[in-house]
Amino acid sequence: MAESWLDIAAESDFSLINIPFGIITYAGASAPRVAVAIGDKVLDLAIFSANKGFSGLPAIQPYLHVFHEPTLNAFAALGRPIHRQVREYLQKVFAKDGPYRHLLQDNQELRNTSFTDLTAVQTYLPMHIGDYTDFYVGKHHAYNVGVLFRGPSNALQPNYTHLPVGYHGRASSVVVSGTPVRRPWGQILNAEKAPIYHPSKRLDIELELGAFVCKGNRLGAPVPLTQAEDYLFGYVLLNDWSARDVQAWEYVPLGPFNAKNFASTVSAWVVLADALEPFRAEGIPNESQVQSYLKSDVKKAMFDINLEVSLQPSGTASGTVISRSNGRNLLWSFPQMVTHHTVGGCPMNVGDLLGSGTISGPESGTEGSLLELTNGGSKPFDVGGVKRTFLEDGDEVVLRGWCKNTNGQRLGFGECRGQILEAWKDGVASE
Amino acid sequence: MAESWLDIAAESDFSLINIPFGIITYAGASAPRVAVAIGDKVLDLAIFSANKGFSGLPAIQPYLHVFHEPTLNAFAALGRPIHRQVREYLQKVFAKDGPYRHLLQDNQELRNTSFTDLTAVQTYLPMHIGDYTDFYVGKHHAYNVGVLFRGPSNALQPNYTHLPVGYHGRASSVVVSGTPVRRPWGQILNAEKAPIYHPSKRLDIELELGAFVCKGNRLGAPVPLTQAEDYLFGYVLLNDWSARDVQAWEYVPLGPFNAKNFASTVSAWVVLADALEPFRAEGIPNESQVQSYLKSDVKKAMFDINLEVSLQPSGTASGTVISRSNGRNLLWSFPQMVTHHTVGGCPMNVGDLLGSGTISGPESGTEGSLLELTNGGSKPFDVGGVKRTFLEDGDEVVLRGWCKNTNGQRLGFGECRGQILEAWKDGVASE
């Protein structure tokens, strides 16, 4: 990979090997539009494309309108080969003294108008999400939670290693990084195990990866595993906020509902599937006899993504990393999730979001939820000099994720951030 | 209610007291548009509104474009007071020798161009559905299923009478009446209780009511029960097709997923909430102490809607009614569902679909699913001279629903119809 003429810090998430896509506005550009993040800058692709920035890429010419859209859906719908070409083209544009140096490197005027500081942009939910599905394929998480509820001998349900367990989430409450999260009211049990109407007392996080879908299948037509990669546009960090006390009371027999649907936060910049290709890695081995439709010859079906959870307790000055995990800690891959999701004929649409489920590692300190970190809420931990079990009002959580290749080059996801607002008084929202 | 100058059969679903809204095309009108059904005709509101049909209703003048939309979302978003005025206005337009007789009754030209035979139109999914939630508030159904799985003493889960149990469904596979339903492949258990990859052998129906949402709340802002009626646009019949064998294996611990997401069918004509007002009725009494946010003074919170399931086995000449139930058989009302759904701050959007869950009655012959009708698949029943337990390929199911007032006037939902197509050979979809 060439050097860039841009000044990109070695530890930047948005390096030349990344080129993630997002939706932004900024002073003087009030209509949401498509951008890529590079170093500590963003390139406004609406302006770049309107000023012949893509003149060296004939394949994108009929579709330049996609960069003026308020979501990435239209760009995503162009398909994996186009994403690949656009990303590689932009890498050449950003490369020092490359074939397209006249477009930006030597074009001070367009550099002035098309670049903005990353800190000066407002980001938006990158895609219009039709349906959001959350899987549960972080096996260590499922095991840890199973131990808490049923003991180690029955920790995993019998189906767990046979199919990617998942459930339908709520699309309407998926929000972009930085959106505050209001502590939800709901039904929880009191000390006498009677239900009461109360703000959640066990507000938790879930460290997940999310994948956005870039291709639809028609009703009734399953997606074979050999084609499933074509459906995966790119990846984000996902915090599936959870009200554990609401969940414990409501979830039998139909699964989590209000415990999860008050908010799910995604990072703002979509790391394209192609950017993660060099970071393929083996996941958790599955010793069960896998059904034919889920069988794959692909050994490295996961990604070696370092993941961490940082918590800044209310009133403290900075966040502390409370957990470190890795994207390899999954039993099923995203292509397997797509194939299982559609095996009965369920249609995917461009923009659908698939969550991995909580990604915990096998050791202490790698748990992807406070439920696990605190042994079901029974063991508070120290963070920045204060004690926590579950989240308190004002606490801020940031998920981070990054890959590093053998040359020391780094690619990251940016932040997935959210701060807890206090519950409404008496459950009634103020204006 | 006046007589109509239109020839409306006494047994028509689409009487003058109904005026349901839908989306249609027909020969010469290929862009989907809004219509109302009346007797055996439909009135094309795109044409009617473009020809001064609404000239007697000032309130709708700024919004006439909504009738040219391919979904009812824009009309729904105008709010309950406008729906009410438009419906009442159209009732006057259709009333014999009424104040607006010049608009249609005496205007042969517009009658010729704006009316089409109901049998000549193609109907579409009436709304763009952002999120679909299926509740489980048909208490007799929950009890019946609970008895099958856990016996009569533990039939209902402890939470059941305290909150409207529900789960997030799949919006992308909600289809309009008449859409064929492909038998899904999936994982089911064989006789030795080992999972196999196979087409479902226990394909079932669920007789439900669906409600469409016409108002959004913002993230974090619960909808109080006193305001929840404003969020309910209208009602349809809903068949939540279910693969019981897939469900039994997959659903622990996160609820139904592929067992339900291959298809859910809704009737094509949305009966406005106002049309059902005269048919309010008491539901199933709830003897639990109901939490404050779900408490209501409204005694008649359900609707007295006669419901029936008709099954036409493959190769037979006509359908046979196999079950009769009623919309009163619910423990929680749709406003209570809205309020519970949003109590933690989950946002509703215009077009969201809420399902009631299966509506079974307390007696034999009123079961809303084959699972119940056949005692878990153990007791086949006779229908049109053939035996059935679950659905076979080619079987066609029609849900019907109607209300009758004390004057003998009738209002109905039209059909919610679907026929089972055979599973794909080897699980691979043909073109």
Side-chain angles (χ1 to χ4, degrees):
Chain A
M1 175 69 54
E3 257 188 286
S4 176
W5 50 269
L6 285 150
D7 185 25
I8 304 171
E11 288 304 297
S12 173
D13 279 351
F14 306 137
S15 62
L16 202 54
I17 66 168
N18 193 347
I19 318 291
F21 285 69
I23 299 293
I24 61 161
T25 57
Y26 51 97
S30 60
R33 77 270 315 275
V34 175
V36 291
I38 179 80
D40 56 0
K41 302 281 182 190
V42 301
L43 177 66
D44 177 335
L45 293 185
I47 290 180
F48 180 71
S49 65
N51 289 277
K52 307 204 171 143
F54 282 109
S55 55
L57 186 63
I60 194 70
Q61 295 307 316
Y63 313 115
L64 292 179
H65 60 90
V66 302
F67 301 118
H68 298 261
E69 295 280 331
T71 67
L72 296 177
N73 291 52
F75 174 60
L78 298 178
R80 291 285 304 269
I82 294 281
H83 312 156
R84 188 169 305 134
Q85 290 175 61
V86 170
R87 176 170 165 273
E88 290 175 357
Y89 177 80
L90 289 171
Q91 286 178 321
K92 288 179 192 159
V93 168
F94 295 141
K96 197 170 183 173
D97 305 334
Y100 303 117
R101 60 178 298 165
H102 60 289
L103 292 173
L104 274 182
Q105 185 183 353
D106 297 342
N107 183 344
Q108 189 63 50
E109 195 188 329
L110 189 53
R111 281 167 62 174
N112 287 345
T113 56
S114 61
F115 277 110
T116 307
D117 286 347
L118 191 58
T119 54
V121 302
Q122 168 86 31
T123 52
Y124 296 83
L125 195 61
M127 303 198 75
H128 172 77
I129 300 168
D131 279 289
Y132 160 42
T133 300
D134 204 16
F135 285 91
Y136 188 60
V137 310
K139 190 182 175 191
H140 304 304
H141 167 74
Y143 177 81
N144 291 343
V145 172
V147 169
L148 283 173
F149 292 154
R150 288 178 300 275
S153 56
N154 283 313
L156 294 177
Q157 300 287 352
N159 58 19
Y160 190 80
T161 59
H162 294 277
L163 52 84
V165 172
Y167 70 102
H168 303 119
R170 179 78 187 179
S172 72
S173 53
V174 179
V175 296
V176 72
S177 178
T179 309
V181 173
R182 179 75 57 187
R183 180 183 299 276
W185 282 75
Q187 288 194 28
I188 65 177
L189 296 182
N190 65 11
E192 290 76 41
K193 305 285 176 197
I196 57 170
Y197 172 52
H198 200 277
S200 172
K201 297 175 179 179
R202 291 163 68 95
L203 193 51
D204 199 355
I205 57 146
E206 295 199 332
L207 168 66
E208 303 196 16
L209 285 171
F212 281 112
V213 169
C214 60
K215 186 174 174 174
N217 61 305
R218 68 179 203 279
L219 182 80
V223 176
L225 188 52
T226 52
Q227 294 170 24
E229 291 277 2
D230 297 344
Y231 289 74
L232 293 164
F233 174 55
Y235 296 85
V236 288
L237 303 171
L238 169 62
N239 185 349
D240 188 37
W241 306 91
S242 300
R244 299 297 178 194
D245 38 10
V246 172
Q247 186 174 357
W249 171 234
E250 77 174 2
Y251 92 108
V252 175
L254 298 181
F257 183 58
N258 282 348
K260 305 274 195 171
N261 66 21
F262 57 97
S264 313
T265 304
V266 294
S267 51
W269 296 96
V270 180
V271 176
L272 297 193
D274 289 311
L276 290 175
E277 278 296 318
F279 302 99
R280 282 183 169 274
E282 290 186 42
I284 299 172
N286 191 340
E287 270 129 44
S288 286
Q289 177 73 23
V290 171
Q291 298 296 326
S292 57
Y293 73 100
L294 289 173
K295 245 183 214 154
S296 169
D297 294 333
V298 178
K299 272 240 174 320
K300 297 184 169 181
M302 318 302 172
F303 300 113
D304 180 6
I305 304 171
N306 301 287
L307 298 169
E308 67 176 36
V309 181
S310 168
L311 171 59
Q312 180 173 347
S314 177
T316 64
S318 63
T320 302
V321 174
I322 58 171
S323 177
R324 290 182 173 85
S325 183
N326 190 289
R328 286 187 314 258
N329 290 319
L330 300 177
L331 185 64
W332 303 95
S333 68
F334 279 99
Q336 285 172 318
M337 294 180 225
V338 168
T339 292
H340 180 67
H341 202 322
T342 61
V343 68
C346 179
M348 297 281 118
N349 287 304
V350 174
D352 287 349
L353 176 63
L354 308 177
S356 60
T358 308
I359 308 179
S360 298
E363 306 95 17
S364 172
T366 65
E367 299 89 344
S369 69
L370 301 178
L371 185 71
E372 294 161 84
L373 264 169
T374 63
N375 196 38
S378 67
K379 290 187 185 161
F381 61 100
D382 182 273
V383 52
V386 300
K387 292 276 177 204
R388 280 293 181 274
T389 41
F390 292 99
L391 297 173
E392 305 204 358
D393 296 343
D395 285 2
E396 188 166 48
V397 176
V398 180
L399 311 184
R400 292 190 180 86
W402 70 93
C403 310
K404 228 171 196 167
N405 67 23
T406 48
N407 301 328
Q409 289 172 311
R410 191 176 184 283
L411 161 170
F413 285 75
E415 293 179 345
C416 181
R417 178 185 291 269
Q419 187 172 25
I420 305 303
L421 302 180
E422 65 180 346
W424 297 116
K425 189 168 178 309
D426 304 325
V428 179
S430 307
E431 281 317 305
Chain B
M1 176 69 53
E3 256 188 288
S4 176
W5 49 270
L6 284 151
D7 186 24
I8 303 171
E11 288 303 297
S12 173
D13 279 350
F14 306 137
S15 63
L16 201 54
I17 64 167
N18 193 348
I19 319 290
F21 285 69
I23 298 295
I24 62 161
T25 58
Y26 51 95
S30 59
R33 75 274 312 277
V34 175
V36 290
I38 179 80
D40 55 2
K41 302 281 183 191
V42 299
L43 177 66
D44 176 336
L45 292 186
I47 291 180
F48 179 71
S49 65
N51 288 277
K52 307 200 170 147
F54 283 108
S55 55
L57 186 62
I60 194 69
Q61 296 307 315
Y63 312 115
L64 293 179
H65 60 91
V66 303
F67 301 119
H68 298 262
E69 295 281 329
T71 67
L72 296 177
N73 291 51
F75 174 59
L78 298 178
R80 291 285 304 268
I82 293 281
H83 311 155
R84 188 170 303 133
Q85 290 176 60
V86 170
R87 176 170 165 272
E88 289 175 359
Y89 177 81
L90 289 171
Q91 287 178 321
K92 286 181 192 158
V93 169
F94 295 142
K96 199 171 183 170
D97 304 334
Y100 303 117
R101 60 177 298 166
H102 60 289
L103 292 173
L104 273 180
Q105 185 183 356
D106 297 343
N107 184 342
Q108 189 63 49
E109 196 187 329
L110 189 53
R111 281 168 61 177
N112 287 346
T113 56
S114 62
F115 277 111
T116 308
D117 286 346
L118 191 59
T119 53
V121 302
Q122 169 86 31
T123 53
Y124 296 83
L125 195 60
M127 303 199 76
H128 173 77
I129 300 167
D131 280 289
Y132 160 42
T133 300
D134 204 16
F135 285 91
Y136 189 59
V137 308
K139 189 183 176 191
H140 303 305
H141 167 74
Y143 178 81
N144 291 343
V145 171
V147 169
L148 284 174
F149 293 152
R150 290 179 298 275
S153 56
N154 283 314
L156 294 177
Q157 301 286 352
N159 59 18
Y160 191 80
T161 58
H162 294 277
L163 53 83
V165 172
Y167 69 102
H168 303 119
R170 179 81 188 177
S172 72
S173 53
V174 179
V175 296
V176 72
S177 177
T179 308
V181 174
R182 179 75 55 185
R183 180 183 299 274
W185 282 75
Q187 288 194 29
I188 65 176
L189 296 181
N190 66 11
E192 289 77 40
K193 305 285 179 199
I196 56 170
Y197 172 51
H198 200 278
S200 171
K201 297 175 178 179
R202 291 163 67 95
L203 193 51
D204 199 355
I205 58 147
E206 293 198 333
L207 169 65
E208 303 195 16
L209 285 171
F212 282 111
V213 168
C214 61
K215 186 173 175 174
N217 61 306
R218 69 179 201 280
L219 182 78
V223 176
L225 188 53
T226 51
Q227 295 171 24
E229 291 277 3
D230 296 344
Y231 289 74
L232 294 163
F233 174 55
Y235 296 85
V236 289
L237 303 172
L238 169 61
N239 184 348
D240 188 36
W241 307 91
S242 300
R244 299 296 180 194
D245 37 10
V246 173
Q247 186 174 357
W249 172 233
E250 77 174 2
Y251 93 108
V252 175
L254 298 181
F257 183 58
N258 281 347
K260 303 274 194 171
N261 66 20
F262 57 97
S264 312
T265 304
V266 294
S267 51
W269 297 97
V270 180
V271 176
L272 296 193
D274 289 311
L276 290 175
E277 278 295 318
F279 301 101
R280 282 182 169 275
E282 290 186 42
I284 299 171
N286 191 341
E287 269 128 46
S288 286
Q289 177 74 23
V290 171
Q291 298 297 326
S292 56
Y293 72 100
L294 289 172
K295 244 182 216 157
S296 170
D297 294 333
V298 178
K299 271 238 172 325
K300 297 184 170 182
M302 319 299 172
F303 300 113
D304 181 7
I305 304 170
N306 301 287
L307 298 169
E308 67 176 36
V309 182
S310 168
L311 171 59
Q312 181 174 346
S314 176
T316 65
S318 62
T320 302
V321 174
I322 59 170
S323 177
R324 290 183 174 83
S325 184
N326 191 289
R328 285 188 316 257
N329 291 318
L330 301 177
L331 184 65
W332 303 96
S333 69
F334 279 99
Q336 285 171 316
M337 294 180 226
V338 168
T339 292
H340 180 68
H341 202 322
T342 60
V343 68
C346 180
M348 297 279 120
N349 288 303
V350 174
D352 287 349
L353 176 62
L354 308 177
S356 60
T358 308
I359 308 178
S360 298
E363 307 97 17
S364 171
T366 64
E367 299 90 344
S369 70
L370 300 178
L371 185 72
E372 294 162 84
L373 263 168
T374 64
N375 196 38
S378 67
K379 290 187 184 161
F381 61 98
D382 182 275
V383 52
V386 299
K387 291 276 178 204
R388 279 294 181 272
T389 41
F390 292 99
L391 296 174
E392 305 203 356
D393 296 343
D395 284 3
E396 189 167 47
V397 175
V398 181
L399 310 184
R400 291 190 181 84
W402 69 94
C403 309
K404 231 172 193 165
N405 67 22
T406 48
N407 300 327
Q409 288 172 311
R410 191 177 184 281
L411 160 171
F413 285 75
E415 293 179 345
C416 181
R417 177 186 292 268
Q419 187 172 25
I420 304 303
L421 303 179
E422 63 180 348
W424 297 115
K425 190 168 177 310
D426 303 326
V428 179
S430 308
E431 284 314 305

